[in-house]
Amino acid sequence: MKGDGVIFRGPLGDMAQAKAGAAGMDPSDLYAAAISWWSTAITPAASLSSWPEAPMTVWTSLVHSDVPGGEPVDHLLRRLIDGLGPLAVRRNVTDEERFSAAAHATRRADNAGAGTPVFLLTGSPFTSGRGDSRISTPLEGRIRMAWDGHHTMPTRGAGRFRATRRPGPPHVGALWDLSIRDWQGFLSTDAATYSRVLHFARRAAPVALRVDSASDDWRDALAAAYAWAFNTRPFLTYTTRAGLQWDAVRAAEAEWDAVLPEPHADFFVRIGDHVSRIAGTLAATERTAIHSAHIQAAWALVRRAVLDTSRLVTMEQGAVEQLVRVLDDRLGGVPAPEGDAPPLLPNVPAPRHWAPPGRNAHGGRPQADGSAVRKLKQWYQDRCQICGTVLVLPPPRHRSSEAAHIRAREDGGPDVVENLLCLCPNCHTRFDAGALVLTDDLIIIDTVAGKPGKRITLHRWHFIDPQYVRHHWTTNDPASLASAPSIPAEH
């Protein structure tokens, strides 16, 4: 805990302390920005048991009194962690048309396998008018719904969307880097907009920290956390003590409203949601359920945002500080033992629409949904996930691979990447016939030779649903290999 009481936790905290000084940033500013980036990068894969329908994105605004020196914070994060948690970034989205264009481009990249269904808004959402800055009303409505999640967001052709169970709009994160003049535009927006954002007043880097730490241990931890999220799709639960602490934060929301006048209290009506999203992000970097230490670290960061906001808005400091101290005491006074959280339940995507089973017009295997196949082949560049072969052909095709269903279509298997493998024709035939099967840990078993092999190749965004693997195993009944060894999925 340093400075404003911010607790630097996990690999994101290590990265912020190692890299902020040399970049001319305060470590807690970089820490808050990194949590915003990382929560957005993993939100297609992870969710919270406290609000399963909502994304885990943490929205922040970093406010400076004039134009800051050095590179923008999103550029710095792209340089530091984009390779570990890749993310599409859209700067200065200031109207609904640009927002829709960003969503459309993200959807196309996701369908082609070149990205995940999420993008981050950076820069500023404000346009300057006559002496003030504003968010356009249509854009304001879209970003509010984006923070709440897919279940509130409209999409073109809503009837068709429901009929075919197509995926919803992309997830959206926000990491705005604003001048104080632009930031004041929040005061003219609806409270429902600015209460969804954590507001930080930027600080300069302490002179003593203007060095770049040589330690890069956080890189491996973040890479492992990203792979874990997309390969397990965690549904993050709370330990007993963490749950009681989060309840205390939620209960305090009514007290802010009772003590502070409008619109000051409106900034803090969602502090419970902010705490839970930050705690979930920190827990995901450590690949665990949410513990009381994550709640404490999340509240410490929200606490700093509360105090910064009170100064930016010129609130009654004594009342705000008193409320903060009360909540500090309540969190520290929760008497319950830590307790054990339930297993991190898999957040399995709902199956999408697929065509009726049967063979195609040429008598061959029925083909999977085109967008899922394009995505899969793009991920693996037509390289077989089992043997590593790339089948090279003359132009214009150049390469060829096949999308293999783990649970067969004629047996009810859906056309989704969670049920597909990218295989060469030989491995596809052997897999369909049961000569090759997979364990829960995705170890390849050769049922003809009667021995286990290596683990299947897996792209960082390719989540294979265990229920389809188990169904394939049961269907082919390799009873003699029931005791085949397995390895933890993280390896």
Side-chain angles (χ1 to χ4, degrees):
M1 183 179 294
K2 296 183 180 179
D4 296 283
V6 172
I7 300 171
F8 294 91
R9 184 170 181 89
L12 292 176
D14 293 341
M15 183 274 293
Q17 294 180 95
K19 301 298 181 183
M25 287 190 69
D26 183 87
S28 60
D29 287 350
L30 183 56
Y31 182 49
I35 287 174
S36 186
W37 178 292
W38 199 261
S39 68
T40 304
I42 66 170
T43 202
S47 60
L48 296 167
S49 60
S50 54
W51 191 4
E53 301 88 355
M56 212 160 66
T57 50
V58 180
W59 288 22
T60 62
S61 66
L62 296 175
V63 188
H64 45 84
S65 58
D66 51 19
V67 178
E71 63 183 321
V73 64
D74 57 302
H75 292 185
L76 173 61
L77 289 171
R78 182 179 290 282
R79 181 166 56 82
L80 289 174
I81 63 176
D82 184 58
L84 308 173
L87 193 56
V89 176
R90 307 291 173 178
R91 283 188 67 82
N92 300 328
V93 173
T94 55
D95 55 48
E96 187 181 22
E97 288 73 23
R98 294 182 188 180
F99 185 95
S100 296
H104 181 63
T106 301
R107 171 63 60 75
R108 283 193 305 174
D110 177 40
N111 287 341
T116 54
V118 61
F119 63 94
L120 180 71
L121 301 175
T122 65
S124 172
F126 294 98
T127 53
S128 296
R130 295 180 178 178
D132 61 359
S133 298
R134 289 184 174 275
I135 300 178
S136 73
T137 301
L139 176 63
E140 192 179 349
R142 294 296 294 275
I143 62 177
R144 287 205 302 266
M145 290 186 289
W147 190 89
D148 290 339
H150 285 175
H151 61 294
T152 67
M153 291 188 71
T155 185
R156 191 176 303 168
R160 185 173 71 253
F161 170 75
R162 287 191 294 269
T164 61
R165 299 177 64 86
R166 294 174 66 84
H171 295 286
V172 181
L175 173 56
W176 289 309
D177 201 8
L178 305 170
S179 68
I180 185 64
R181 179 179 179 277
D182 270 357
W183 181 84
Q184 287 172 345
F186 276 120
L187 302 179
S188 61
T189 64
D190 193 288
T193 300
Y194 57 69
S195 65
R196 285 167 164 81
V197 184
L198 287 171
H199 308 279
F200 296 90
R202 285 193 60 169
R203 292 149 169 74
V207 175
L209 293 179
R210 293 186 182 276
V211 294
D212 190 338
S213 170
S215 175
D216 277 347
D217 293 343
W218 52 270
R219 291 185 182 277
D220 291 340
L222 284 181
Y226 190 85
W228 172 83
F230 276 86
N231 284 292
T232 65
R233 299 297 175 101
F235 186 74
L236 296 164
T237 57
Y238 298 75
T239 64
T240 302
R241 191 161 194 265
L244 291 174
Q245 287 179 320
W246 185 66
D247 288 343
V249 178
R250 291 305 301 265
E253 290 174 350
E255 297 181 26
W256 297 86
D257 192 50
V259 172
L260 297 175
E262 291 186 3
H264 296 176
D266 296 335
F267 278 92
F268 311 124
V269 297
R270 289 184 169 84
I271 59 171
D273 291 326
H274 294 310
V275 167
S276 63
R277 292 183 183 208
I278 295 173
T281 300
L282 295 174
T285 65
E286 299 175 22
R287 293 175 283 169
T288 183
I290 299 171
H291 289 69
S292 60
H294 300 122
I295 297 291
Q296 290 279 14
W299 162 242
L301 193 61
V302 172
R303 183 184 195 274
R304 189 204 137 175
V306 167
L307 294 172
D308 281 2
T309 302
S310 70
R311 297 175 188 123
L312 288 166
V313 185
T314 320
M315 297 182 190
E316 172 53 49
Q317 293 295 302
V320 174
E321 291 171 0
Q322 176 63 26
L323 289 166
V324 165
R325 284 193 296 270
V326 168
L327 193 45
D328 285 342
D329 293 341
R330 288 181 185 173
L331 290 182
V334 172
E338 187 70 55
D340 293 324
L344 277 64
L345 306 176
N347 183 18
V348 179
R352 301 170 206 163
H353 175 77
W354 62 89
R359 308 194 65 85
N360 62 27
H362 302 288
R365 296 185 183 94
Q367 293 300 304
D369 172 69
S371 64
V373 171
R374 286 195 302 273
K375 185 182 302 185
L376 189 78
K377 294 186 176 186
Q378 177 70 21
W379 282 344
Y380 296 101
Q381 294 293 293
D382 294 295
R383 186 175 299 277
C384 179
Q385 289 180 253
I386 291 180
C387 70
T389 297
V390 178
L391 184 61
V392 181
L393 301 174
R397 292 192 65 188
H398 301 290
R399 296 191 310 256
S400 179
S401 61
E402 297 181 355
H405 287 75
I406 301 171
R407 178 169 181 162
R409 290 181 94 220
E410 54 266 30
D411 199 17
D415 285 353
V416 293
V417 292
E418 294 82 10
N419 186 44
L420 294 175
L421 297 174
C422 181
L423 301 181
C424 67
N426 284 346
C427 288
H428 192 173
T429 299
R430 297 179 70 197
F431 186 80
D432 282 355
L436 297 174
V437 295
L438 299 175
T439 68
D440 277 3
D441 298 326
L442 304 183
I443 301 296
I444 305 163
I445 304 293
D446 186 330
T447 63
V448 177
K451 61 182 181 181
K454 63 180 182 179
R455 189 168 189 258
I456 196 170
T457 301
L458 202 64
H459 188 275
R460 68 168 72 196
W461 295 331
H462 191 187
F463 167 65
I464 295 177
D465 193 329
Q467 67 171 312
Y468 303 135
V469 173
R470 291 168 192 153
H471 185 275
H472 181 264
W473 178 285
T474 303
T475 302
N476 291 284
D477 193 27
S480 62
L481 294 171
S483 60
S486 63
I487 59 174
E490 66 192 69
H491 294 164

